[in-house]
Amino acid sequence: MDSDPFQNNEFERSIPFNPELLSSLLKNCIFEKNVIFKNVIGSTNVFLKNLAQQGYPEGTVVIADEQSAGLGRLGRQWFSKEGKNLLFSVLLRPGLLPNQIFILTFIFALAAIEAVQQMTGLGAMIKWPNDIYIREKKLGGILTEFAVQKGVVQHVVLGMGLNVNWNPTTEQKLLYPTSSIFAETQQAVSREQLLHKILKIFEKMYHEVIEDINPAERFYKKWNDKSAILGKSVVIETGKERVQGEAASIGKDGALTLICADGHERKFLCGDVSVKMNFSEL
Ligand code: BTN
């Protein structure tokens, strides 16, 4: 018998996601009513943004086993193996201001980190502003998109790709050092149970956010505690410049404060920036 699970053909076989199981686990949750599952879709975010415009309610979830045009931040592709990982988007209609939407990205990441910790014991972290990292490798990413009309947020679509039962080292198209729960633990995890946990934990934090008049105050210590980059030397790329420095803190406005080589502090907002922790990343 082959003892290396990565060499084991059984493991390489994909197990289809079971949306009925997820729905049964999601009882009494805002995500209970509209669970939409697709075997293959272009992008769960694009699909859900369309539904949002048609008036679908808050709590609609779209999950796919495979995306043919998965999107990452900054126009990048999101690559995943069919039937192995979590690829999903949720629709929210919070009464938040556009400059508070970053809080939802952070609590979405915190929910995934907490769920992974509860199910596997792994200590994943947030790589500001939207990545989930484990030991300097990417475990997942979040794509947050929202529509604003006359200064009012109409809807928010939070999309997450999380590497679960995949062996990323066998793939060629990866942009970053990449890991998965399986690669870290050699244990396959139920994607339905993991997604259920993520959504339940997220729902609790989401209610705290929308009911609090100052939600950043409540959560900013948590996103600093779970930051993968604080105290580390990083390079920030804004499209116009590359700035190297030590990541010092992430503020209540979501901005990263960097201490540059000359000792000056610079603040970077979450927008169109990318962060590199090591030079093997593109
Ligand atoms: C990133 O790291 O740049 C963000 C990646 C986000 C990927 C997820 S997969 C589900 C959802 N649908 C998409 O097309 N993208 C997000």
Side-chain angles (χ1 to χ4, degrees), residues 245-265:
E246 187 187 301
S249 64
I250 298 154
K252 292 173 196 167
D253 55 0
L256 171 69
T257 297
L258 199 70
I259 301 171
C260 303
D262 61 6
H264 280 99
E265 283 190 3

Side-chain angles (χ1 to χ4, degrees), residues 43-45 67 70-73 78 130-131 138 141-142 160-161:
S43 150
T44 57
N45 263 44
Q67 292 183 131
L71 294 171
R73 260 178 90 240
W78 182 256
N130 73 313
D131 290 335
K138 188 153 169 164
I142 295 171
M160 184 182 292

Side-chain angles (χ1 to χ4, degrees), residues 136-179:
E136 308 214 340
K137 289 185 176 174
K138 188 153 169 164
L139 190 67
I142 295 171
L143 179 63
T144 302
E145 300 182 278
F146 57 99
V148 181
Q149 245 177 37
K150 296 188 180 144
V152 177
V153 174
Q154 303 296 306
H155 64 254
V156 181
V157 169
L158 295 177
M160 184 182 292
L162 192 64
N163 298 332
V164 183
N165 293 326
W166 181 36
N167 174 13
T169 56
T170 61
E171 301 297 339
Q172 303 302 315
K173 303 183 192 169
L174 302 172
L175 294 172
Y176 330 86
T178 299
S179 196

